[in-house]
Amino acid sequence: MSVTIDITGLPHERIAFCPSPLAELGAALHALSEPAHHPGLHAWVTTTAAALEPELADRLHEADFMWRSTRSDILLPARPRESLAEELDDLDRMDDERYVSSALEISCAGHYTHGAPSPLIDARMRRRALDLAAARGPRQAAFVERMLADPVSTRAWIRRLLEDCHEAFFSDTWQRVRIQLAADARHKTELLRRKGLAEAVVAASPAMSLEEDEQGSRIVVDKLVQGHTTAKGSGLTFVPTTFGRPHLIALFAPGWQPVVQYPVPGRELAGTAPVETVKLRLEAVAHPMRMRMCRNLARGSYTTSELADAYGITAPEVSRHLAVLRKAGLLTTRRRGRYVLHQVDVAVVARLGSDFLESLLR
């Protein structure tokens, strides 16, 4: 499975490698909410989380579905700017329907590849957004209700939240990492100019490649998800990140300019486990459906009904697959009210193999 981006006839001038403060802030917020994905950032996460004012930490928790298990497309600008304020200004110019659909991506994950009406105008998508938010907790559910009832003020609330994060911790962080990101972007741009797109793409990530045949040209992003989009009429943006490793994120929603956020070089994960344990776990993830489920469960916690809805299978089938993963020690389970939430134990998967973990988290 993979995400393909059709670039047939796209001039190289429309392909950009450029850092984005908003995209890097989104990656940093994800690292704060899912530190197990990013063991190399342990010191930064610990220090930053300890220094957060309780009120700001509460607000981050309230809105964290925008960056915890998936990255909202509004956090991946197709035209990066020099400052976070400029990118937030661009975001303010987006219409409410598009903004809310992207911010509430939890409500349309199953419809991402072919698009879905905004929950602002479609009653079914509205109910779906509220139901899925309820599984995330009462504060998240209240936030989604507020966004659907009053998108204008909620958008302003989100902007203030991101600005407060910038003031509290991200401004200093951005000043440190932007030089590395800008240097990486310049290097990839030079590779594109001197050696061609294929060299630049592989240099950004070995999980990406350029394919060319009589049908055209396309960028192929190797991920445990199937998707297709086109850069015709818009362009293609590659955004480097220091906080994103091991994630390789591709924005391929219909009607959006495609964006790929790729990690700059960093430390590899490592670990060991008993042979019998490894055998049991490999057998558990060998099934195609369980491997696909692991992609969701590595990013966040899901209920049985959410997984059934996402993959078009019955709840009993999901339960049987979850039982196999649980027996192998790959799952953690917790109860929140009437919901039972399941999630992959990322630390265990990391010991199983960093290649497998990175394929789940791309």
Side-chain angles (χ1 to χ4, degrees), residues 17 61 90 115 122 145 184 233 254 258 318 341 353 358:
F17 289 85
H61 174 64
D90 288 343
D122 185 88
E145 289 178 2
D184 186 90
V318 171
L341 300 172
E358 291 199 17

Side-chain angles (χ1 to χ4, degrees), residues 37-44 180 242 244-246 263-270 354 357-358:
H37 291 188
H38 308 275
L41 296 175
H42 176 75
W44 181 87
Q180 179 187 6
T242 56
R245 185 177 182 83
V264 298
R267 282 168 39 182
E268 296 287 344
L269 294 170
S354 59
L357 177 61
E358 291 199 17

